[in-house]
Amino acid sequence: MPPGPPARPSPIPAWPRLTRRRPAAPTRHHGGSHERAATPPGQSLRCIFLLQHGQRFGVATGHHLATRAAATQLERGGSLVDAMISASAVLTVVLPHATSLGGCGMMLIHDAASGRTQALNGSGIAPAQATPARYDGAIDARGPRSWITPGLVRLWAQAYRRHGRLPWSALLQPAIDLAADGVPFSSELARNLHLASPQVRQQPGFDAAFRIGRADREAGVPWRQAALGATLDRIAAQGEAGFYQGPVAEALCRFASETGGLLLADDLQRITADWREPIHQGYGRFSASVMPPNSVGPLMLAQLQRLRDGFDQGRDPRLLAQILQARAILPALHDRIADPDASWPWQGFGAGGELPPQRPDDPGDTAGIVLVDREGNGLAMLQSVFQPFGSGCVDPATGVLMNNRLSEFSLDPARHNCLAPGKRPVHTLNPYLVCHRGRPVLFAVSPGGVSQTTTGVQCISNAMIDGMRLPEAIDAPRWSIARDGQIMCEPGFSPFVVQRLRAAGCSVATDSLHPFYFGSIKAVRLHPQGVLEAAADLRREADAVAW
């Protein structure tokens, strides 16, 4: 084990809230959609972001306590992976609607000395009992039969074996303390709980975890998770075996058996986290790197490739092209991600195809971590239970909420993404890295299901083509595509683009404030002078610090 922490770490900086808010216009509700009266064209949406500059480290995560945990490990002399594991564990405690020990993760990590970027795939696999014959026309959207075998703890262990520095148990202690001693119920968690559907609320263990009597838990109310704290404590003491073997594994399998789930002990033994080569693609003035399949990351590269010839156009024509190309590429190439014989990055120019069948469900929810140091080493990681609250099932013995990622599979035998035991589904997690002249300049993540790719295209375009500062790149009004194909545009989005979309026959919702589709970027940018710019997008709860 490498030497322990330095004797006198420098103090961690304060955590200011550098937000500027325009007073909110009245909100209207139309059949479950969320809209706000129009913001004047060209104005920023809400000016909501957190920004800090520093020269040693930049950290951005989905919660201030996760950011603090990461910063603490870095100040103790820990590696970026040490900080990631500590922050990731805290996120499973404070944002369980988005991530849990019962979920998955994917990570890109860049080593500045060698110039090498590595990808670590901790996504889950279908249980051995999960066959198409078990489902009548559609995979369960929620409930015990929507679980894949979780891979997040395997990702922690695999990353630690290669890059860990501090004692393993110390990395999990902040999360253990928060679960056991209690933490204020997160505002983002409370917001998602308010939006949770009856289908989610009726799942086993949900009420006991998230309600007090007949009432939902409220933001700011202290919340203890003793069972989850004990599970984390066992992982701290025994490593990954503390989750995938012994009492925790037995409890999860018993919970599955009692509720009609498919998870078995052999599934937990079989799951792995695998080191892979990222997918890289150059675009002249910059290049980008993403996770390989089964991540949809290559679809973000494909969109950028189709847009490359128009980089010198004005902003409005480029925004229009972004939307039209995404509408063509995402449905046409989605199943190609699951094709083991497909080559990436994609170079084609004739995308076409029909939109695969989709459920009218919420897009995915995710928690993210971005870490960068002054040498140019960096890490971007996402973790998720897929849709908000995953399956809705919470095992009372372990405190673990299980994912609903199995519903990402198709039951169509003609599709590469057809369900099969031991298989990984096409996966929405999309951490990314942008380089300029071969050197990293931007590490970023965002939640939002497959719209992670479209949010990424917009952030990269804003920063690398329009030359926006990171806060402006994050705050600029966004577009997204709903599962039914409707184009959604935030307040302040270009009326020229909206007009052209409608003229092309597209359904467009303006002034949209949908709670999920527009994501929440966490990013760190490296400047030539050695300055690190860390920013967090407060469309959802997020935090950033640099020092």
Side-chain angles (χ1 to χ4, degrees):
M1 180 66 63
R8 298 181 61 188
S10 59
I12 300 173
W15 307 79
R17 294 284 177 185
L18 303 181
T19 63
R20 303 193 308 274
R21 292 182 180 270
R22 181 178 293 111
T27 300
R28 303 188 298 269
H29 301 274
H30 298 290
S33 66
H34 299 257
E35 299 184 354
R36 176 176 291 177
T39 297
Q43 286 194 13
S44 177
L45 169 64
R46 286 161 292 185
C47 291
I48 52 172
F49 55 83
L50 189 152
L51 172 69
Q52 287 199 347
H53 294 90
Q55 292 183 289
R56 293 183 59 212
F57 295 103
V59 179
T61 80
H63 194 278
H64 67 281
L65 293 176
T67 302
R68 182 175 289 277
T72 298
Q73 305 305 336
L74 294 172
E75 285 294 326
R76 289 174 175 168
S79 66
L80 295 184
V81 161
D82 291 336
M84 178 276 292
I85 293 169
S86 195
S88 176
V90 168
L91 288 171
T92 68
V93 176
V94 297
L95 298 178
H97 69 285
T99 179
S100 81
L101 300 177
C104 306
M106 291 188 179
M107 180 183 78
L108 288 176
I109 184 168
H110 179 79
D111 177 68
S114 65
R116 184 184 178 194
T117 302
Q118 305 164 77
L120 182 57
N121 187 341
S123 63
I125 58 173
Q129 296 188 90
T131 63
R134 285 190 175 271
Y135 298 92
D136 184 15
I139 297 170
D140 297 7
R142 308 282 182 160
R145 301 199 314 165
S146 67
W147 309 352
I148 59 171
T149 310
L152 180 62
V153 178
R154 288 285 194 218
L155 181 146
W156 293 351
Q158 190 75 295
Y160 183 78
R161 273 190 282 273
R162 184 171 290 189
H163 297 287
R165 187 179 300 163
L166 298 179
W168 167 268
S169 60
L171 307 181
L172 301 187
Q173 197 59 51
I176 294 169
D177 291 343
L178 290 170
D181 299 339
V183 62
F185 204 73
S186 156
S187 59
E188 184 69 13
L189 177 55
R191 181 174 75 96
N192 278 267
L193 182 57
H194 175 71
L195 296 171
S197 69
Q199 185 185 26
V200 173
R201 291 174 177 273
Q202 70 187 11
Q203 300 304 329
F206 187 90
D207 274 5
F210 299 111
R211 308 193 80 200
I212 303 174
R214 301 175 116 188
D216 289 351
R217 295 182 184 273
E218 297 181 356
V221 174
W223 183 38
R224 292 184 66 248
Q225 301 172 78
L228 180 60
T231 297
L232 286 163
D233 197 41
R234 191 173 293 275
I235 297 169
Q238 300 177 10
E240 62 195 303
F243 184 81
Y244 293 103
Q245 301 173 31
V248 171
E250 293 166 5
L252 291 173
C253 293
R254 184 168 56 252
F255 183 54
S257 176
E258 292 171 350
T259 59
L262 307 178
L263 187 70
L264 298 174
D266 286 347
D267 298 316
L268 292 169
Q269 289 292 311
R270 194 166 67 247
I271 182 68
T272 62
D274 307 315
W275 289 105
R276 302 280 304 280
E277 287 300 313
I279 305 296
H280 311 278
Q281 193 161 25
Y283 308 99
R285 63 187 72 181
F286 66 91
S287 63
S289 302
V290 297
M291 295 291 303
N294 57 319
S295 165
V296 297
L299 301 187
M300 186 185 81
L301 301 187
Q303 292 170 70
L304 290 168
Q305 172 68 13
R306 286 286 290 265
L307 297 167
R308 178 176 177 173
D309 289 345
F311 283 174
D312 292 329
Q313 295 181 347
R315 178 168 173 80
D316 278 353
R318 284 188 285 104
L319 287 173
L320 178 63
Q322 286 176 15
I323 298 170
L324 295 178
Q325 294 296 352
R327 292 183 79 231
I329 287 172
L330 293 181
L333 298 185
H334 184 271
D335 192 59
R336 192 176 190 267
I337 291 290
D339 182 355
D341 297 323
S343 61
W344 300 98
W346 179 75
Q347 300 287 351
F349 287 90
E354 298 299 321
L355 187 69
Q358 300 279 2
R359 294 188 314 273
D361 245 337
D362 294 328
D365 207 350
T366 304
I369 300 166
V370 178
L371 305 163
V372 182
D373 68 17
R374 61 185 169 193
E375 284 79 30
N377 303 299
L379 177 157
M381 184 264 198
L382 284 164
Q383 56 193 83
S384 177
V385 292
F386 188 30
Q387 292 171 325
F389 295 102
S391 66
C393 304
V394 184
D395 173 28
T398 62
V400 174
L401 181 145
M402 296 299 292
N403 69 84
N404 69 325
R405 184 68 69 171
L406 198 77
S407 60
E408 278 271 79
F409 282 108
S410 170
L411 293 180
D412 182 351
R415 292 197 170 274
H416 297 290
N417 193 39
C418 185
L419 173 64
K423 185 176 179 179
R424 284 172 163 150
V426 171
H427 212 290
T428 54
L429 298 186
N430 177 43
Y432 56 93
L433 159 64
V434 179
C435 290
H436 176 63
R437 297 178 179 173
R439 297 179 64 85
V441 293
L442 179 68
F443 293 81
V445 299
S446 175
V450 74
S451 65
Q452 290 180 35
T453 68
T454 58
T455 299
V457 166
Q458 292 172 81
C459 179
I460 292 170
S461 298
N462 292 344
M464 304 304 297
I465 300 172
D466 288 310
M468 294 183 185
R469 295 173 56 249
L470 191 52
E472 295 159 348
I474 287 174
D475 200 47
R478 288 186 202 143
W479 59 268
S480 189
I481 305 177
R483 283 182 177 264
D484 62 2
Q486 184 182 55
I487 309 301
M488 297 180 296
C489 302
E490 287 185 319
F493 192 77
S494 166
F496 167 84
V497 175
V498 171
Q499 181 182 22
R500 292 292 299 272
L501 288 169
R502 287 175 171 158
C506 300
S507 172
V508 183
T510 56
D511 302 324
S512 174
L513 290 177
H514 194 284
F516 300 116
Y517 277 107
F518 298 110
S520 171
I521 296 169
K522 291 86 181 170
V524 178
R525 191 170 189 175
L526 296 85
H527 290 278
Q529 303 88 348
V531 173
L532 299 171
E533 185 179 36
D537 174 356
L538 300 184
R539 285 172 174 87
R540 306 189 196 180
E541 190 167 5
D543 190 79
V545 65
W547 69 101

